[in-house]
Amino acid sequence: MTSRQDTSLGKVILILGDQLNPDIPALRSADQSKDTVLMAEVAEEASYAPHHKKKIAFIFSAMRHFAAQLSDEGWQVRYVTLDDPENTGSITGEAQRALNDFSLSRLCLTEPAEYRLKTAINDWADQQNIQLDVLDDDRFIATHQEFEDWARGRKQLRMEYFYREMRRKTGLLMDGAQPEGGKWNFDSENRKPASANLFMPRPPQTQPDKITTEVLELVEARFGTNFGELYPFWFTVTRTGALEALDCFVESALPHFGDYQDAMLEGESFLYHSVLSQYLNAGLLRPLEICQRVERAYYEGQAPLNAVEGYIRQIIGWREFVRGIYWLKMPGYTQMNVLGAHRVLPDFYWTGQTDMACMAAAITQTRQEAYAHHIQRLMVTGNFAMLAGIDPQQVHEWYLAVYADAYEWVEAPNVIGMSQFADGGLLGSKPYAASGNYINKMSDHCSRCPYDVKQKTGPGACPFNPLYWDFLDRNAEKLRGNPRLGHAYRTWDKMTPEKQADYRDSAKQILEGL
């Protein structure tokens, strides 16, 4: 692609809604004296999934605040609101309009995080003969090439080994060439159930200012029928607020994060979790600065190693790994369905109206907060969907819509691979399938549930119990050879035919009731 004019005339710098950081590569490459920053709220991005109202409000308000910050710093900013009568409704439409208005033909941006949008922008630029400068997004620790090089020739791609490379590259929690504390992973210490008598700090809550209030009114008017509750809206929408939220987490919650990161409690949405992922994924925080702040807490004696290592692993391990998988396997990854699951997503995923206490709690919290922590997503809503044989594409689209931190690059591998095992083990070594016993061990939901977690089959039995064995049975041809499921299949094989039939019959009744 070649320019139709001298590049000294300047260019348009496109900043996307998840690139809200002053150190983003596109801004670093820009000339403030002659380049124009373009930001746009467009219907296409706001509606390609039925996004949670809080998610839309958070992104739009954060965008407006970031645009105002850039303007105050002397940048020429063209900001297009959703209700601008001239808004074309798409990122490429707004880029074209800006280039036309400024008589330019050069557009610079940091690489879009989603394959869908990157492809659309590249195709548009080719068709319109636009000089397109796409810069690598160096907010991430690993480049695409580094991940491809690491993955090449490996029989299995496992996060644990990639994570060790990221530790070495960043130097985080390293004692020379060895991991701090003598081992890479302290996850075995991070599986304690919580109790209601523990003090659990709340993440800081920000009162909406004038800009946010205007956005909330816009979202209510335009997206009032979308999933979720818009009020109360307490997310911070600035980098300053996100840094304060990081400090709050480190000082008040990080010390207990490791012990209780897998726990669930009725009425406690956050426990000791950081609730920073929506800020991180939108660009208000950078991954390395979070990890360095958390690491410092360990070296200053403010937090134990199991908590600090577990948290850092989520960011430079899982987050980087799923991004690598996403770009390595797109397009097509989101369509994978190795287990052949085709059941329709039940309505209660949208309403929360189910008698299963754990499911009702996770979904109701999601409706209220646009947030649930990783165990709720993986071992409750995700586990049930996989056991029930729900179409993974529908599950993927649900997760993409309902969480404020959900962007396809990070959400899809977590759902298609980790949660639903629809990629057949590309991302994870086994399906994360569990009966009601796991939920009972890690939560207090079962004590409030009308279903009996100790009852295995029949009316009144916890649905997770028969569904677990039915899942293993109906997928035996594909899963029996997995060494991590060997014990489960040996247990199934030892059951009498009558007991096996009882599990199948109970599961059938549950599935027909969906």
Side-chain angles (χ1 to χ4, degrees):
M1 292 171 289
T2 58
S3 175
R4 296 178 305 210
Q5 65 166 54
D6 188 336
T7 55
S8 65
L9 294 177
K11 57 187 178 292
V12 171
I13 307 295
L14 175 61
I15 302 295
L16 301 173
D18 58 351
Q19 300 178 344
L20 309 181
N21 194 286
D23 197 39
I24 201 77
L27 282 176
R28 294 206 309 267
S29 74
D31 185 335
Q32 194 177 80
S33 67
K34 60 183 179 181
D35 294 339
T36 299
V37 173
L38 170 65
M39 299 179 68
E41 304 165 2
V42 295
E44 189 172 77
E45 295 304 303
S47 58
Y48 74 89
H51 299 295
H52 197 299
K53 285 181 279 193
K54 272 192 173 77
K55 179 182 183 180
I56 299 172
F58 164 66
I59 294 173
F60 281 2
S61 182
M63 287 174 65
R64 292 188 185 190
H65 281 85
F66 187 62
Q69 174 190 335
L70 293 179
S71 182
D72 289 344
E73 292 172 357
W75 290 93
Q76 179 178 333
V77 179
R78 176 185 174 114
Y79 192 93
V80 184
T81 60
L82 187 72
D83 54 2
D84 185 327
E86 296 185 9
N87 191 323
T88 61
S90 70
I91 291 293
T92 54
E94 285 311 299
Q96 186 68 66
R97 193 160 69 93
L99 291 169
N100 291 345
D101 288 352
F102 294 114
S103 299
L104 298 172
S105 63
R106 186 181 179 195
L107 182 77
C108 177
L109 74 157
T110 305
E111 180 186 54
E114 294 192 354
Y115 180 88
R116 167 192 61 84
L117 186 55
K118 181 179 180 179
T119 301
I121 292 174
N122 283 339
D123 290 348
W124 159 79
D126 283 339
Q127 293 166 6
Q128 300 299 321
N129 194 30
I130 303 299
Q131 179 177 335
L132 184 65
D133 303 332
V134 180
L135 307 180
D136 291 341
D137 191 343
D138 61 9
R139 291 176 298 171
F140 293 95
I141 310 301
T143 66
H144 296 320
Q145 189 62 55
E146 284 175 330
F147 190 86
E148 290 173 11
D149 291 344
W150 174 83
R152 188 176 299 111
R154 292 177 181 265
K155 293 182 179 180
Q156 294 180 322
L157 304 181
R158 294 293 173 255
M159 185 280 294
E160 180 63 30
Y161 301 109
F162 175 75
Y163 165 58
R164 295 177 187 182
E165 293 301 315
M166 294 300 96
R167 288 272 294 275
R168 294 185 182 101
K169 179 178 181 179
T170 61
L172 290 164
L173 294 180
M174 294 297 294
D175 182 8
Q178 299 302 313
E180 182 72 25
K183 59 181 183 178
W184 296 100
N185 187 317
F186 290 83
D187 204 33
S188 61
E189 300 178 22
N190 295 344
R191 297 168 184 165
K192 296 178 182 177
S195 59
N197 61 358
L198 293 169
F199 170 73
M200 280 160 276
R202 305 281 293 179
Q205 302 196 356
T206 302
Q207 288 296 315
D209 61 8
K210 183 176 183 294
I211 292 176
T212 300
T213 300
E214 291 174 352
V215 168
L216 292 173
E217 292 171 353
L218 172 67
V219 171
E220 188 61 56
R222 292 288 293 271
F223 305 97
T225 60
N226 277 37
F227 176 84
E229 299 175 14
L230 184 58
Y231 300 99
F233 184 88
W234 54 266
F235 293 152
T236 187
V237 290
T238 66
R239 174 165 166 77
T240 298
L243 288 169
E244 291 172 355
L246 170 60
D247 285 340
C248 182
F249 164 65
V250 170
E251 294 165 6
S252 61
L254 177 61
H256 297 291
F257 167 78
D259 290 347
Y260 302 112
Q261 65 172 292
D262 288 1
M264 296 171 282
L265 280 178
E266 194 82 22
E268 290 290 344
S269 299
F270 309 110
L271 286 90
Y272 297 100
H273 291 273
S274 67
V275 199
L276 297 175
S277 53
Q278 68 270 25
Y279 308 139
L280 172 61
N281 292 349
L284 298 180
L285 296 173
R286 295 176 69 97
L288 199 54
E289 72 182 341
I290 295 176
C291 291
Q292 290 169 340
R293 177 71 178 86
V294 168
E295 180 192 46
R296 189 167 79 245
Y298 165 69
Y299 286 119
E300 292 178 354
Q302 299 172 356
L305 184 56
N306 69 305
V308 170
E309 185 278 319
Y311 192 82
I312 287 175
R313 178 165 20 96
Q314 288 190 355
I315 295 180
I316 70 169
W318 270 117
R319 186 174 185 268
E320 294 285 328
F321 182 69
V322 298
R323 178 183 183 249
I325 291 288
Y326 176 80
W327 284 104
L328 188 67
K329 297 301 179 181
M330 286 295 284
Y333 186 80
T334 57
Q335 305 299 320
M336 294 188 75
N337 189 0
V338 168
L339 298 182
H342 296 292
R343 188 164 279 106
V344 174
L345 186 77
D347 286 344
F348 61 69
Y349 271 80
W350 299 105
T351 66
Q353 295 176 3
T354 172
D355 289 335
M356 291 179 284
C358 58
M359 291 286 286
I363 296 167
T364 299
Q365 173 186 318
T366 298
R367 287 183 57 85
Q368 294 171 343
E369 308 290 0
Y371 168 83
H373 69 67
H374 66 285
I375 293 299
Q376 292 172 300
R377 301 189 202 193
L378 176 64
M379 300 307 299
V380 180
T381 51
N383 182 27
F384 184 88
M386 182 176 65
L387 297 182
I390 307 302
D391 186 331
Q393 178 68 21
Q394 294 187 29
V395 181
H396 149 59
E397 291 172 352
W398 182 79
Y399 278 91
L400 182 61
V402 303
Y403 292 113
D405 60 4
Y407 299 85
E408 189 180 77
W409 68 267
V410 64
E411 170 274 327
N414 271 301
V415 173
I416 298 296
M418 183 76 169
S419 167
Q420 301 304 294
F421 204 69
D423 66 1
L426 175 67
L427 185 143
S429 59
K430 70 165 188 173
Y432 278 82
S435 68
N437 184 57
Y438 175 86
I439 296 170
N440 190 37
K441 176 184 176 182
M442 297 309 301
S443 80
D444 62 353
H445 294 314
C446 299
S447 64
R448 296 173 172 85
C449 187
Y451 295 106
D452 185 353
V453 70
K454 296 181 179 179
Q455 184 177 332
K456 304 304 181 183
T457 60
C462 170
F464 283 85
N465 292 337
L467 289 179
Y468 171 75
W469 291 110
D470 185 67
F471 167 79
L472 292 176
D473 180 42
R474 70 176 185 267
N475 291 292
E477 184 177 338
K478 295 174 181 174
L479 298 179
R480 186 177 281 275
N482 187 312
R484 296 192 66 186
L485 295 176
H487 177 74
Y489 275 109
R490 286 191 295 272
T491 300
W492 173 255
D493 292 341
K494 291 177 183 178
M495 294 182 190
T496 65
E498 292 77 15
K499 188 172 184 180
Q500 290 180 344
D502 201 16
Y503 275 118
R504 293 189 189 102
D505 291 343
S506 293
K508 181 180 179 182
Q509 293 295 318
I510 293 166
L511 295 175
E512 288 178 350
L514 293 181

